[in-house]
Amino acid sequence: YGQRALDQLPPNALHIRTVAHAVISGSLQMQGEFNKAVEMLSEVLDDPTWPDHIRPKILQSLSAIAFMEGELPRVMAASQELLRRGQRLRLPTMVGFGSYFLGTGHYLRDELQDAEEYLLGLVKNRDLAAPSYVAHGTYALACIHLARGNVSDAEQIMETVKLHFLEIGHSNAYRILEAAGVELTLRTGDLEEARRKSARVTQFDLRPPIWFWYVPQLTPIKLLLAEGTPESLAAARTALEVMDEQMGKIHRKTVRIDVLSLLSLVRDAQGVEIAACDKLAEAIALAEPGGFIRNFVDLGQPMANLLTRLRVRSQVSPPGVFQHVDRILDAFDATSTRHPPTWSTESRTPPT
């Protein structure tokens, strides 16, 4: 339908044509044709007939498909240009898009100071930005506070922006932060309060995972992992395996990093170390090209222990996996171990 729209739309229907390009590029990425999608969008950006005020929309599409593909360097390059053009042309919504992608991209690469700069701008100008992007950016900013040990600051920014969404009547963005609030509480180690908050959440499955870094569908699964009972772990494993199959079919590589990382912890908690290390190696292989780090660090000490055991397994041979494991382990610090998720099952001590 996207291609048919391009064939039938008049040349001057620029806005609708950008929507068609977004649909086509997103569909190509889902089909495993990422390079073809990038080529199509690059041709548009290279076409001098497209006016300046339209080009940021194409850059937004490029940032989105690159994020879903797990290509963080391309995300950063496209969103930097998106932000630059949005600021020059005084297009606040486009500035918000660029700030979101840059902020979350830096966060996932464990570049917290750079991430904070962009995310603060996004949250400060929340009246001018797309609410869903503000919601996801707010949670990333809260996670930066948490990584620094500032729990009260993390909770305060979440509550401030939730109140903003309540006042403007944007229920979807409010629900995103409501779900994220459960996860934030779980990460502080308060499982009982996380359970109470989860019971008040009306919907975790807000929309299919796309180009947003926080995946609400994973929060109930993290609660199951935190419960640590044989029944909860079995339910978590089933949910993650189903989700991994679904995300694999549509090439949501960024989501699969999180899914496989969680699955590795579930299998480890079930006492199946070989399967746990195999799943973690898959996640690392997906994460390494884009430089994803916080996906692992935010899972706390159980992940650090499993990474250490993965590192010493001689059968895991790809050098890129080893090198990225070292980068992730280097990123673990006192803060990440002070505020790990709460696992009922005690993680094993890594071998020496």
Side-chain angles (χ1 to χ4, degrees):
Y1 291 106
Q3 187 58 55
R4 187 183 303 174
L6 284 180
D7 294 339
Q8 295 180 1
L9 284 168
N12 62 347
L14 296 175
H15 174 71
I16 301 301
R17 291 180 73 85
T18 62
V19 174
H21 280 296
V23 170
I24 295 170
S25 62
S27 299
L28 288 171
Q29 190 278 329
M30 289 174 64
Q31 295 169 8
E33 298 283 352
F34 174 67
N35 290 334
K36 188 174 181 180
V38 171
E39 181 180 350
M40 184 198 73
L41 295 177
S42 297
E43 287 177 0
V44 176
L45 291 171
D46 291 339
D47 185 347
T49 63
W50 284 77
D52 277 354
H53 72 281
I54 293 295
R55 291 175 182 273
K57 297 179 183 296
I58 301 298
L59 288 164
Q60 180 197 0
S61 296
L62 181 56
S63 300
I65 65 167
F67 189 87
M68 292 187 292
E69 186 71 14
E71 292 275 355
L72 280 185
R74 195 182 294 272
V75 173
M76 311 297 273
S79 55
Q80 186 68 64
E81 180 65 11
L82 169 58
L83 179 62
R84 187 187 70 81
R85 287 178 177 270
Q87 290 173 333
R88 179 169 62 84
L89 297 169
R90 298 182 180 180
L91 301 172
T93 303
M94 295 298 152
V95 170
F97 291 147
S99 298
Y100 163 78
F101 282 115
L102 284 166
T104 55
H106 279 299
Y107 175 75
L108 292 170
R109 291 166 63 95
D110 198 41
E111 298 159 351
L112 301 188
Q113 186 171 346
D114 290 333
E116 184 177 35
E117 176 185 348
Y118 293 111
L119 294 171
L120 281 172
L122 175 65
V123 173
K124 179 181 178 181
N125 296 294
R126 52 187 173 272
D127 288 320
L128 303 174
S132 293
Y133 286 76
V134 173
H136 286 272
T138 297
Y139 182 46
L141 185 58
C143 288
I144 292 174
H145 289 309
L146 190 62
R148 293 170 175 164
N150 301 323
V151 178
S152 60
D153 290 344
E155 294 172 341
Q156 182 178 356
I157 191 62
M158 294 278 282
E159 290 303 315
T160 297
V161 181
K162 274 177 62 180
L163 179 61
H164 165 74
F165 291 140
L166 194 62
E167 291 172 346
I168 67 174
H170 203 287
S171 58
N172 186 63
Y174 180 90
R175 286 196 295 267
I176 292 169
L177 284 185
E178 189 179 40
V182 175
E183 189 159 314
L184 185 72
T185 299
L186 180 62
R187 288 186 53 199
T188 66
D190 192 343
L191 178 56
E192 290 302 320
E193 180 62 20
R195 285 197 192 107
R196 285 191 287 270
K197 286 186 175 182
S198 178
R200 296 194 295 268
V201 174
T202 57
Q203 189 179 11
F204 283 100
D205 194 11
L206 299 169
R207 64 173 65 178
I210 45 176
W211 49 83
F212 291 118
W213 82 280
Y214 167 58
V215 182
Q217 290 88 342
L218 292 177
T219 297
I221 299 174
K222 292 176 181 178
L223 280 170
L224 290 172
L225 175 57
E227 294 284 349
T229 67
E231 295 78 15
S232 69
L233 292 173
R237 178 187 175 186
T238 298
L240 289 167
E241 288 178 343
V242 169
M243 191 171 184
D244 187 47
E245 182 179 4
Q246 294 171 341
M247 295 297 102
K249 288 178 179 177
I250 57 175
H251 298 271
R252 290 287 190 272
K253 295 181 181 179
T254 302
V255 178
R256 290 195 68 216
I257 294 170
D258 290 329
V259 171
L260 289 166
S261 299
L262 284 171
L263 188 53
S264 73
L265 290 180
V266 170
R267 299 300 280 147
D268 193 37
Q270 291 178 319
V272 191
E273 182 174 300
I274 293 176
C277 287
D278 287 345
K279 292 301 179 183
L280 184 53
E282 285 187 61
I284 297 292
L286 288 171
E288 187 273 333
F292 290 84
I293 291 177
R294 290 305 305 190
N295 310 65
F296 305 93
V297 175
D298 287 349
L299 293 176
Q301 193 61 41
M303 176 55 70
N305 294 344
L306 185 57
L307 283 164
T308 301
R309 281 178 270 142
L310 174 67
R311 185 65 180 83
V312 300
R313 288 180 71 228
S314 59
Q315 60 266 47
V316 182
S317 57
V321 170
F322 280 136
Q323 292 166 6
H324 201 55
V325 167
D326 289 340
R327 295 187 195 103
I328 297 167
L329 287 173
D330 286 343
F332 273 92
D333 54 24
T335 299
S336 68
T337 56
R338 270 204 307 276
H339 301 291
T342 301
W343 314 129
S344 297
T345 302
E346 184 178 355
S347 56
R348 300 180 190 83
T349 302
T352 58

